[in-house]
Structures are given as C-alpha cells and as structure tokens.
Amino acid sequence: NPLRVCTLCSGYDSQCMALDVLGMPYKLVAWSEIDKYACQAHDAVYPQYKDRNVGDMTKVDWGGQPDFDLLTYSTPCQDISTAGKQAGLIEGSDTRSSIIWYTKYAIQQKRPKYLLGENVKNLVGKNHRGEYFRWLQFLESEGYTNYYAIINAKDQGVPQNRERVFTWSVYGDHD
C-alpha cells in the first residue's frame, strides 16, 4: 500500500519530491497552498494532483478529507526568521507564522501516524523556542513522540548554507 500523504503550506511540494527521490511509494491525497504562483508550480510538477488542493488550511473541514498516514507542515517562517520582524508564532496572534496552530485541526481529526515539520533554525532560537516547545507539548498530549534536529542543506549535498529545524513525530507505540 502506498503511503497516503497530505502536505500543508505545500509550495511546489519538495516533500513529495523527497519521497520521489527515496523511491517511496505514496499517494498525495490532499495538499494545501494559497499562493497563486506556488500553486502553478505545484501543478506543473504534479499535474496528477491538481484537483487535490484543499486551499486555505485555516478553513478546511478535515473531517471531510481523505485519511492520510503522513502529514507534512512547512508553515510560514517570516515572523520567526532572523530576517523578519520577530512577530512570533503565538497561537491566536494572527501572524503568518502562527498558522502552525491550525495544523492541530488536521492532526486531531485524522490522527496520521507520522508528522514532518520544517522551518527556519530560529524556531528554536531564544525568542521562539518557548512556543516551539509548547507546540511539541501539544503533539505529546495528542499521543505523539517527537524528535527534532537542525539540519544544514550544505551537509546534505546541496550547494547552499541553509539551516532548518526538522520535527519528526510518530503517533502511538513505535521503535
């Protein structure tokens, strides 16, 4: 059975590209993107999934969506990036970065086995790590075990010095 995948803040779906490179069989059952140009890029790369964009993730009725095994979320970084205004990601603050908290509705409704989050290194910086750890506590309260690491693209063979926080969460018992 292919892995059923849903991606949030999908962009052109580098998450699916990674699954392609790994040769992992999957089916993209839903994706969420609102930026017109990102949607065009996504449709160019994955035309077979064009009709599965659920649109604005803050307005999705997750109960009406197909089940999925893996949920990826690469929510906006502008308010936590060192290049931004540091407005933060506090739930209910209406910053672009606070959209991460809308991810919880998909998680609570669908209970995917795996979650993969990606964001800028400053997510664990002194100004934002409290909210990030609050996010991890929420996931733990929902039955997930969390792992995170800072990974630099240059250490993965990409010609770019780009550090990112990756969060891997697994629901229930696992090895």
Side-chain angles (χ1 to χ4, degrees), residues 1-174:
N1 294 331
L3 187 69
R4 297 168 301 169
V5 178
C6 175
T7 62
L8 303 181
C9 301
S10 305
Y12 55 83
D13 239 329
S14 60
Q15 302 87 342
C16 289
M17 289 179 174
L19 292 171
D20 291 338
V21 168
L22 293 170
M24 183 171 287
Y26 71 94
K27 177 180 179 183
L28 185 62
V29 299
W31 57 285
S32 171
E33 182 56 64
I34 60 172
D35 180 83
K36 173 175 127 178
Y37 299 108
C39 289
Q40 289 174 356
H42 192 285
D43 292 345
V45 175
Y46 293 107
Q48 70 272 34
Y49 300 129
K50 185 176 185 173
D51 64 335
R52 298 183 187 172
N53 185 359
V54 298
D56 186 342
M57 67 177 270
T58 69
K59 298 176 180 165
V60 174
D61 171 14
W62 289 105
Q65 298 303 317
D67 290 339
F68 40 85
D69 309 301
L70 169 63
L71 174 69
T72 69
Y73 57 100
S74 296
T75 53
C77 67
Q78 293 94 330
D79 300 304
I80 51 180
S81 171
T82 55
K85 295 182 181 179
Q86 302 295 305
L89 63 148
I90 295 171
E91 186 174 13
S93 65
D94 290 329
T95 65
R96 288 176 287 187
S97 296
S98 70
I99 198 173
I100 189 172
W101 293 99
Y102 285 93
T103 305
K104 72 181 182 180
Y105 301 117
I107 293 167
Q108 290 171 325
Q109 286 284 317
K110 294 301 182 182
R111 286 279 182 253
K113 179 73 176 172
Y114 308 105
L115 308 173
L116 177 62
E118 175 271 332
N119 217 306
V120 294
K121 179 183 176 184
N122 202 38
L123 181 63
V124 294
K126 70 177 184 171
N127 292 336
H128 307 297
R129 70 176 157 233
E131 277 303 298
Y132 174 64
F133 291 135
R134 188 170 158 258
W135 171 251
L136 295 181
Q137 287 174 341
F138 159 73
L139 294 175
E140 288 171 11
S141 76
E142 295 294 320
Y144 288 88
T145 302
N146 302 304
Y147 307 91
Y148 72 92
I150 298 170
I151 299 174
N152 195 326
K154 74 178 183 177
D155 298 328
Q156 307 306 313
V158 176
Q160 185 178 33
N161 186 16
R162 186 178 177 113
E163 294 178 301
R164 292 290 183 262
V165 175
F166 286 86
T167 306
W168 179 249
S169 307
V170 181
Y171 183 70
D173 294 331
H174 68 283

